Amino acid sequence: MTQSAYSNTTEAVGIFHTAEDLQAAIDDLLTQGFNRMDLSILASERAIEDKLHEAYVPARDLEDRVEVPTTAFVSTESVGDAMGAVIGVLVYVPAMIGRRRLSLPAARWRLP
């Protein structure tokens, strides 16, 4: 029997009537070790604008601003590839050194 990827996921939902209450809840969750990527807001854009006023800036207004900090996306697969390459080098280089050391004495004893 196959299990869904979401079978062990626990979710919490909250309703906040002010932007200050929402921010306080976010701060508490981040302080307790939650990742910002695990938090989301479920509401229409209009409802968010009405509640958060100038605290809310749509992503489309930020996408071309130079002063907005950005970061490159690095997928988990890329991290795994890099780790595999490092481990491969750490195994391959000593193996080649050991192979060379083992083959050198044999080369000295070859008959003409």
Side-chain angles (χ1 to χ4, degrees):
M1 184 160 130
T2 3
Q3 284 189 336
S4 167
Y6 300 103
S7 63
N8 295 326
T9 301
T10 303
E11 293 184 3
V13 178
I15 298 174
F16 305 98
H17 297 288
T18 66
E20 293 79 19
D21 291 343
L22 173 62
Q23 188 60 52
I26 292 170
D27 292 341
D28 288 344
L29 290 170
L30 294 175
T31 301
Q32 294 299 317
F34 282 81
N35 186 337
R36 185 174 291 278
M37 297 301 294
D38 294 332
L39 306 178
S40 61
I41 296 177
L42 301 174
S44 67
E45 187 172 354
R46 181 74 181 151
I48 293 172
E49 287 174 355
D50 290 345
K51 288 287 182 182
L52 300 180
H53 306 291
E54 56 279 331
Y56 170 70
V57 179
R60 68 179 169 275
D61 294 346
L62 296 174
E63 61 190 12
D64 294 327
R65 290 189 188 172
V66 178
E67 68 273 8
V68 174
T70 59
T71 184
F73 173 74
V74 179
S75 68
T76 54
E77 292 84 10
S78 296
V79 173
D81 291 347
M83 289 175 60
V86 168
I87 291 169
V89 166
L90 293 175
V91 170
Y92 179 78
V93 170
M96 289 296 106
I97 291 171
R99 181 174 178 231
R100 183 172 167 95
R101 284 185 183 165
L102 290 175
S103 65
L104 285 179
R108 285 189 220 155
W109 300 103
R110 286 191 186 155
L111 295 173

